[in-house]
C-alpha cells in the first residue's frame, strides 16, 4: 500500500475539482444524447444510495469487511466517470467491484462464491458463467488504469481519537458518517483526512443518543438535530468540552477549514436528498434499460 496519499495515484490521477468533474460528466453524457433521452434515470445521489445498499447487502452475504466495501464503492464511482451507466449492467459492475476490492484489501472471495451470492440477489441480471465476472474484472481494471490502491478516512479518524479525546460514541458516529460519504462525489474531490475531520465535526454536533444509528449500511439516513436540549447536563458538558477541544485543534492545525466545511455541507445535503429516495424507482429504471439493451445476457 502506498504510505503517502499525496504521492499516490489516488491523489495524482483520481482527484479533481467540482468544475472538472462536471465537465467530465458533461462530455460523457454528450457522447450519446439519444441514449440519455431514451432512458431516464434517477438523480445521481439517489442512484448512489441504491448502489450502496445493494453492495452492503451483497457484502453481508459474504461477511465482507467495511474497508473492502468502501473500496468497492470508490471503484464504482471511478468507473462511472469513464463509462456511461446506460451502457453497462450495473449489477455485474457492483459484484465485480466488490470481488476486486476484496482482493485489494487482502480479504479475497472465491469468484464462484461472489457469482453465486450475486445471482441469489439479482437472478435476472447476473449470468451463471463465472467467466463473465472475470471479463468484467479486467474491464474495470483497464478503465481505472490499474490504479487500484485507495486511501480511506478511517485511519485518520483512529489517529485523531486520542488526540481529540473522542468518546466511543463520537467515533462510532463519525465512522458511520464516513461510510455515508462514499454515496457522494467526495472521494473524487477531497483528501481522506478532510473527510475524517468533517465527520468528526458532524459527530460532535449530533445527539449522543444517535451515535451508531446513522450508517447507510443500516438502511436509514441520519437526522441532524437542532440542539442538545434532550441530553443530560453532564453529557452536554462533556460534549461541549470535546467541541472546544476540536475547535482549538482545528484552529491551530494545518487542515483546510473551508474544505472541511464544504465537505460537511455535502454530507448534510445527501441526508436532505435521502427523503426523495425510492428503491422501487431505481430498480425499475435500471431494469428497463438493462433488459431493453440485452445487457443482462
Amino acid at each position: 500500500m502506498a504510505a503517502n496519499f499525496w504521492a499516490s495515484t489516488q491523489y495524482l490521477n483520481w482527484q479533481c475539482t467540482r468544475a472538472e468533474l462536471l465537465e467530465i460528466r458533461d462530455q460523457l453524457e454528450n457522447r450519446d444524447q439519444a441514449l440519455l433521452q431514451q432512458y431516464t434515470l434517477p438523480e445521481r445521489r439517489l442512484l448512489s444510495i441504491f448502489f450502496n445498499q445493494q453492495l452492503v447487502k451483497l457484502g453481508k452475504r459474504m461477511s465482507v469487511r467495511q474497508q473492502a466495501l468502501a473500496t468497492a464503492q470508490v471503484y464504482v464511482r471511478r468507473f462511472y466517470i469513464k463509462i456511461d451507466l446506460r451502457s453497462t449492467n450495473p449489477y455485474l459492475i457492483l459484484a465485480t467491484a466488490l470481488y476486486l476490492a476484496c482482493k485489494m484489501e487482502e480479504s479475497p472471495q472465491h469468484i464462484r462464491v461472489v457469482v453465486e451470492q450475486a445471482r441469489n440477489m439479482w437472478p435476472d441480471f447476473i449470468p451463471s458463467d463465472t467467466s463473465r465476472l472475470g471479463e468484467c474484472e479486467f474491464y474495470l481494471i483497464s478503465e481505472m488504469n490499474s490504479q487500484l490502491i485507495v486511501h480511506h478516512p478511517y485511519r485518520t479518524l483512529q489517529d485523531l481519537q486520542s488526540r481529540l479525546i473522542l468518546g466511543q460514541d463520537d467515533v462510532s458516529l463519525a465512522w458511520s458518517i464516513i461510510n455515508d460519504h462514499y454515496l457522494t462525489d467526495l472521494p473524487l474531490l477531497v483528501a481522506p483526512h478532510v473527510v475524517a475531520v468533517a465527520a468528526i465535526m458532524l459527530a460532535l454536533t449530533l445527539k449522543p443518543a444517535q451515535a451508531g444509528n446513522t450508517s447507510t449500511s443500516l438502511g436509514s439516513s441520519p437526522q441532524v438535530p437542532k440542539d442538545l436540549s434532550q441530553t443530560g447536563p453532564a453529557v452536554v458538558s462533556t460534549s461541549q468540552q470535546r467541541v472546544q477541544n476540536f475547535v482549538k485543534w482545528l484552529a491551530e492545525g494545518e487542515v483546510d477549514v473551508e474544505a472541511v466545511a464544504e465537505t460537511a455541507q455535502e454530507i448534510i445535503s445527501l441526508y436532505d436528498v435521502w427523503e426523495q429516495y425510492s428503491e422501487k424507482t431505481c430498480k425499475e429504471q435500471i431494469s428497463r434499460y438493462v433488459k431493453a439493451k440485452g445487457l443482462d445476457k
Side-chain angles (χ1 to χ4, degrees), residues 242-297:
R242 288 172 181 162
V243 170
Q244 291 172 1
N245 290 340
F246 174 77
V247 171
K248 180 180 179 182
W249 172 83
L250 193 61
E252 295 174 350
E254 298 180 355
V255 180
D256 186 337
V257 177
E258 184 177 350
V260 170
E262 290 178 355
T263 297
Q265 186 56 52
E266 182 76 13
I267 295 171
I268 291 172
S269 69
L270 167 70
Y271 300 149
D272 290 337
V273 80
W274 211 305
E275 300 300 324
Q276 307 166 29
Y277 174 67
S278 166
E279 180 176 334
K280 182 174 180 289
T281 299
C282 291
K283 280 184 176 179
E284 289 176 348
Q285 295 192 6
I286 290 173
S287 177
R288 177 170 169 261
Y289 86 77
V290 170
K291 289 186 175 297
K293 299 185 67 181
L295 297 171
D296 53 333
K297 305 302 182 185

Side-chain angles (χ1 to χ4, degrees), residues 12 19 45 93 97 119 150 157 171 178 184 216 221 232 236 259 263 266:
L12 297 175
R45 286 176 295 181
I93 297 298
R119 278 181 60 78
V150 178
L157 173 61
V171 174
I178 288 173
T184 72
T216 58
S221 60
V236 172
T263 297
E266 182 76 13

Side-chain angles (χ1 to χ4, degrees), residues 8-9 26 49 60 130-131 134 145 170 242 254 271 283:
S8 70
T9 57
D26 284 344
I49 294 172
K60 282 184 177 179
T130 57
S131 67
N145 303 318
D170 300 323
R242 288 172 181 162
E254 298 180 355
Y271 300 149
K283 280 184 176 179

Side-chain angles (χ1 to χ4, degrees), residues 16-33 36 43-45 47-48 73-74 76-86 182-189 266:
C16 57
T17 65
R18 292 181 188 276
E20 290 169 341
L21 183 58
L22 180 61
E23 183 178 357
I24 289 170
R25 286 181 169 149
D26 284 344
Q27 291 175 354
L28 190 61
E29 292 180 348
N30 289 335
R31 291 178 188 174
D32 195 337
Q33 284 290 329
L36 185 68
E43 198 261 344
R44 183 173 289 105
R45 286 176 295 181
L47 282 174
S48 292
Q73 290 181 82
V74 174
V76 171
R77 193 161 294 277
R78 288 181 179 182
F79 179 77
Y80 281 126
I81 64 170
K82 301 286 287 293
I83 303 296
D84 186 82
L85 175 64
R86 297 168 183 82
Y182 291 104
L183 281 69
T184 72
D185 288 328
L186 289 171
L188 302 175
L189 299 173
E266 182 76 13

Side-chain angles (χ1 to χ4, degrees), residues 52-153:
N52 168 264
Q53 292 183 347
Q54 298 306 301
L55 270 175
V56 168
K57 289 176 183 177
L58 181 59
K60 282 184 177 179
R61 287 172 171 266
M62 300 181 292
S63 301
V64 173
R65 294 186 297 111
Q66 176 57 46
Q67 183 147 321
L69 280 169
T71 296
Q73 290 181 82
V74 174
Y75 287 171
V76 171
R77 193 161 294 277
R78 288 181 179 182
F79 179 77
Y80 281 126
I81 64 170
K82 301 286 287 293
I83 303 296
D84 186 82
L85 175 64
R86 297 168 183 82
S87 66
T88 70
N89 175 351
Y91 296 105
L92 183 59
I93 297 298
L94 292 177
T96 305
L98 187 57
Y99 172 64
L100 180 58
C102 287
K103 284 185 181 181
M104 291 303 299
E105 297 298 340
E106 300 179 352
S107 54
Q109 297 281 340
H110 197 285
I111 190 170
R112 292 189 183 278
V113 173
V114 177
V115 170
E116 178 185 357
Q117 295 300 333
R119 278 181 60 78
N120 288 338
M121 283 189 59
W122 314 302
D124 296 333
F125 299 98
I126 301 294
S128 58
D129 185 357
T130 57
S131 67
R132 290 293 305 280
L133 191 142
E135 293 169 0
C136 192
E137 179 187 12
F138 284 108
Y139 186 23
L140 259 69
I141 292 172
S142 175
E143 291 300 331
M144 292 189 290
N145 303 318
S146 301
Q147 297 163 352
L148 305 178
I149 292 175
V150 178
H151 292 256
H152 295 285

Side-chain angles (χ1 to χ4, degrees), residues 1-5 65-67 70 105-106 149-163 166 171 174-175 178-179 181-182 192-197 199-200:
M1 297 291 286
N4 187 348
F5 168 76
R65 294 186 297 111
Q66 176 57 46
Q67 183 147 321
E105 297 298 340
E106 300 179 352
I149 292 175
V150 178
H151 292 256
H152 295 285
Y154 302 113
R155 178 176 294 180
T156 300
L157 173 61
Q158 292 170 330
D159 290 344
L160 290 177
Q161 180 177 2
S162 58
R163 186 182 303 181
L166 300 175
V171 174
W175 188 284
I178 288 173
N179 292 347
H181 103 281
Y182 291 104
H193 73 276
V194 172
V195 174
V197 173
I200 292 170

